[in-house]
Amino acid sequence: MVTLYGSLRSRTLRPLWLLREMDAPFEWVPVVQAYRIGDPSAASAPVNTASAAFRALNPMAQVPAMTDGELTLTESMAITLYLARKFGGPLTPQTEVEEALTLQWAFFGDSTIEQPALDILIVNHRGTVDTEQGRATIDAARKALQQPFARLDAHLQSRPWLLGDRFTVADILLVECVRFAMYDTVAFAEFAALRRWLEACRARPVFTQLWAERTAEPDRYA
Ligand SMILES: N[C@@H](CCC(=O)N[C@@H](CS)C(=O)NCC(=O)O)C(=O)O
């Protein structure tokens, strides 16, 4: 049985979204990021990334983590790709070409989009957009995202989803990097096809349900 450890306010959303789209069986073990907790070592604290039992599972002390029998996996993209292959179906790459393109978009997201997009998310989350430091961070992130967003927009002008006519794990992995930047409309201003794809991914019923649950999850714990 697959067991997924994590929180909704984290990259755990990637494998969780896929599992729910596939209607696959799994166990869910909530693990909160330690930085969200006042005293993560208190007896009353929820299980968190600093808890000894969780660190034994992932010495990086990060979520998500996943176990399946003897296998323990960390890294949200590796977990999500493993689950796609394990459960199969239309969200999974069907050919070597689709497999290669899925890896391409996953590496593209991880190496070029995730960090600047995360910078935008953090500045917005902290409410520091209008500070000098916040503006500098946003400006640098927009510059870093310009070329990858242009590349992605050009690709999406002639197809609804990354692999063509159907939504797949590739869309989940990449949109879950792009989404971090959605608070900054300027970064998306020139890219209508990219905006259309982002909205189409976010409009999927599984995602809207997940987003409601994620929003209800506490941001901070005592
Ligand atoms: N590259 C890793 C990054 C994992 C990561 O940074 N997880 C964050 C939440 S999204 C975390 O658990 N942080 C724990 C902490 O800082 O206490 C992945 O994709 O799984």
Side-chain angles (χ1 to χ4, degrees), residues 11 113-124 137 141 145 177 180-181:
R11 293 173 180 85
I113 293 182
E114 189 181 80
Q115 189 55 59
L118 207 46
D119 290 343
I120 288 174
L121 181 139
I122 290 167
V123 168
N124 277 274
T137 302
L145 289 171
C177 297
F180 296 157

Side-chain angles (χ1 to χ4, degrees), residues 5-220:
Y5 301 78
S7 69
L8 296 169
R9 290 182 181 272
S10 78
R11 293 173 180 85
T12 312
L13 222 55
R14 295 169 182 174
L16 191 53
W17 185 356
L18 181 79
L19 284 164
R20 292 218 191 153
E21 289 272 359
M22 294 188 305
D23 207 13
F26 67 100
E27 283 173 14
W28 170 248
V29 178
V31 180
V32 175
Q33 293 99 314
Y35 67 78
R36 296 192 187 280
I37 305 173
D39 178 3
S41 61
S44 58
V47 176
N48 62 80
T49 49
S51 304
F54 183 74
R55 289 184 73 114
L57 203 59
N58 184 4
M60 291 294 287
Q62 293 175 331
V63 285
M66 185 216 76
T67 56
D68 186 18
E70 297 291 295
L71 175 68
T72 299
L73 265 189
T74 62
E75 289 300 323
S76 57
M77 289 201 176
I79 293 169
T80 311
L81 288 166
Y82 169 78
L83 294 170
R85 173 169 280 231
K86 178 182 172 82
F87 291 109
L91 277 88
T92 301
Q94 305 292 310
T95 63
E96 281 179 12
V97 168
E98 286 195 355
E99 180 88 44
L101 289 171
T102 299
L103 291 177
Q104 170 193 273
W105 290 120
F107 289 132
F108 176 80
D110 202 32
S111 63
T112 69
I113 293 182
E114 189 181 80
Q115 189 55 59
L118 207 46
D119 290 343
I120 288 174
L121 181 139
I122 290 167
V123 168
N124 277 274
H125 191 69
R126 288 185 182 151
T128 55
V129 178
D130 291 326
T131 65
E132 195 179 331
Q133 179 63 47
R135 277 192 294 273
T137 302
I138 298 271
D139 202 41
R142 283 178 189 159
K143 284 196 177 79
L145 289 171
Q146 170 72 27
Q147 197 169 1
F149 274 12
R151 156 98 168 92
L152 196 45
D153 187 76
H155 181 76
L156 290 165
Q157 280 169 20
S158 55
R159 44 182 79 71
W161 306 107
L162 288 176
L163 298 193
D165 288 337
R166 70 183 209 284
F167 176 82
T168 68
V169 64
D171 296 291
I172 291 178
L173 293 179
L174 188 52
V175 83
E176 278 299 288
C177 297
V178 171
R179 175 176 67 75
F180 296 157
M182 71 183 181
Y183 305 93
D184 186 45
T185 52
V186 174
F188 291 86
E190 291 172 47
F191 306 120
L194 177 59
R195 291 200 305 274
R196 189 259 311 141
W197 170 76
L198 173 61
E199 287 319 309
C201 290
R202 288 175 51 75
R204 292 187 66 84
V206 167
F207 185 83
T208 55
Q209 170 63 30
L210 264 180
W211 194 250
E213 292 172 32
R214 177 213 171 268
T215 306
E217 194 180 76
D219 190 20
R220 295 275 153 203

